[in-house]
Amino acid sequence: ANSLLDIVVFGRACANRIAEVAKPGAAAPDVAATAHDKSIANLDFLLNNKGSTSTAELRLKMQNSMQQHAAVFREQDTLEEGCRQIDALMQEQS
């Protein structure tokens, strides 16, 4: 249920922002030919990592943190705690 509400609320906000900054017929900005290299390297690392944490375990931890700390109705302190938890999960994977 939260996912649908997120799509409606934040999708509308996103559409409004795009309407502010994107003009019909305007050229897209140039992007360096190597702009994707860092993302590809990160995906390659994730796909080929042989860490001790299973993908399912990591996903569950992330899901629990997001549900507890980044629900539709958000407050600064709970968002900050969620960020700390996700940062800690990232550190565990490094």
Side-chain angles (χ1 to χ4, degrees):
N2 283 352
S3 295
L4 180 57
L5 187 55
D6 279 344
I7 290 169
V8 171
V9 172
F10 298 106
R12 183 174 190 281
C14 180
N16 289 339
R17 178 65 180 147
I18 290 170
E20 288 176 17
V21 298
K23 303 303 175 205
D30 290 334
V31 177
T34 58
H36 67 284
D37 288 349
K38 187 174 179 181
S39 294
I40 296 296
N42 186 45
L43 287 172
D44 187 55
F45 169 78
L46 293 171
L47 290 172
N48 296 302
N49 192 0
K50 303 294 183 208
S52 60
T53 304
S54 72
T55 302
E57 180 183 348
L58 179 58
R59 184 202 58 79
L60 182 60
K61 288 179 180 180
M62 291 174 70
Q63 178 182 3
N64 289 337
S65 181
M66 294 297 293
Q67 287 174 337
Q68 292 290 319
H69 301 97
V72 174
F73 300 104
R74 297 171 172 118
E75 294 182 355
Q76 188 69 32
D77 58 333
T78 55
L79 284 172
E80 289 173 356
E81 176 58 26
C83 287
R84 282 190 289 274
Q85 288 183 6
I86 296 297
D87 287 344
L89 288 172
M90 293 293 291
Q91 291 299 316
E92 289 175 16
Q93 304 310 308
S94 301

